Amino acid sequence: MADIEIVEPVDVEAELDRLAETYRAANGIGVRILNLLGGKAESLLDRLPSAVRNNLGAATQRALTLAMQAAQTSRTAVPDQKAWVNTAMTTAMGAAGGFGGLPTALVELPATTTVLLRAIQGVAAEHGFDPSAENVQFDCIRVFAAAGPLASDDGSDLGFFSLRLSLTGGAMHKLIATVAPKLATVLGQKLAAQTIPVLGAVAGATTNYFYSDYYQQIAHVHFGLRRLAIDSGITEDELVRMLDKRMQDRLS
């Protein structure tokens, strides 16, 4: 007679506590440092060529589209990396991009976006989701909609977890078009910081280091909530409300 596997019930409260701690860690000292950098970089945006400033949204949309294709294709040839490897890669790329000023920073930008997206896909796989599935690809892009580094936390990153869009028709294109303007603001500040003479390489390395850490932790919260919804039978919307309450209680 075959042994019957006993599945232990998931401890929802403990898992939500863990996810809340991950969320708080994502918004820690690194993001505060980037917020300070963002305050400086904001005034530098006017130093970017007008063609670059005016094209940031469209360029980010193209970068996200190409990054999705490149990240997905690379999965057949390159295995997922540990978080510290992804962070080291993006840090080195940020330094290289900033070293040559704006021209190299523009070249580095889509490459870094691809590595970040690939890291997010790796987090999805870690939580038991198939990164090749359309709905998981959809969610990987949604992680970029979280209130990221250099952006004030207005609660939108918790709100984004409960966002639901149809997967029919051009939903992925629509999602990328929705996410791109917000991400373009973040990346525009990064570009501005990388134009600083001599310090561009340092700024590029620093921002990429914290970008990588932030988005990977936010991905863990996002896909952790999805996994918890499956394992517990509680709807994800309800879990979001429970997580939100934990965050609000911590602030009060």
Side-chain angles (χ1 to χ4, degrees):
M1 182 175 180
D3 293 335
I4 299 176
E5 182 180 356
I6 299 176
V7 179
E8 294 291 334
V10 62
D11 188 336
V12 175
E13 297 298 323
E15 184 62 15
L16 282 173
D17 285 341
R18 188 186 68 79
L19 291 173
E21 189 58 36
T22 301
Y23 179 83
R24 294 185 192 105
N27 289 277
I29 184 65
V31 171
R32 290 195 289 273
I33 291 173
L34 286 178
N35 284 336
L36 292 175
L37 178 61
K40 302 293 184 183
E42 193 74 47
S43 62
L44 295 175
L45 286 176
D46 289 340
R47 294 177 55 182
L48 293 175
S50 59
V52 174
R53 291 199 312 271
N54 298 335
N55 197 44
L56 271 177
T60 303
Q61 188 169 334
R62 287 195 300 273
L64 279 174
T65 301
L66 292 174
M68 174 58 75
Q69 297 168 352
Q72 195 60 39
T73 301
S74 71
R75 298 193 64 81
T76 61
V78 181
D80 290 325
Q81 304 297 318
K82 294 184 180 299
W84 71 266
V85 175
N86 293 322
T87 301
M89 288 176 59
T90 56
T91 300
M93 292 166 69
F99 185 79
L102 184 59
T104 54
L106 288 170
V107 173
E108 172 258 328
L109 201 59
T112 292
T113 304
T114 299
V115 174
L116 288 175
L117 186 54
R118 178 62 197 274
I120 292 169
Q121 290 180 342
V123 172
E126 186 177 334
H127 286 275
F129 297 99
D130 179 8
S132 67
E134 187 178 21
N135 66 322
V136 178
Q137 293 180 30
F138 197 78
D139 277 3
C140 288
I141 291 292
R142 283 173 51 202
V143 169
F144 280 121
L150 305 183
S152 60
D153 182 0
D154 57 3
S156 59
D157 34 0
L158 272 178
F160 113 91
F161 289 126
S162 60
L163 176 66
R164 284 293 179 267
L165 293 175
S166 170
L167 287 177
T168 60
M172 180 64 78
H173 178 76
K174 184 185 299 184
L175 178 66
I176 289 177
T178 301
V179 171
K182 185 169 189 177
L183 186 58
T185 299
V186 176
L187 297 183
Q189 291 171 322
K190 166 180 149 64
L191 282 176
Q194 287 177 294
T195 64
I196 303 173
V198 181
L199 296 179
V202 175
T206 302
T207 54
N208 276 19
Y209 176 88
F210 290 121
Y211 282 168
S212 181
D213 181 68
Y214 177 85
Y215 286 119
Q216 287 180 93
Q217 291 197 75
I218 287 296
H220 275 293
V221 177
H222 175 67
F223 289 106
L225 282 171
R226 283 199 59 186
R227 173 51 56 190
L228 185 57
I230 293 171
D231 293 343
S232 68
I234 301 174
T235 67
E236 191 174 347
D237 284 345
E238 178 61 27
L239 289 173
V240 168
R241 284 191 287 271
M242 294 168 70
L243 179 60
D244 185 39
K245 185 176 187 306
R246 275 169 168 74
M247 302 304 300
Q248 295 302 323
D249 288 346
R250 178 65 177 265
L251 294 174
S252 60

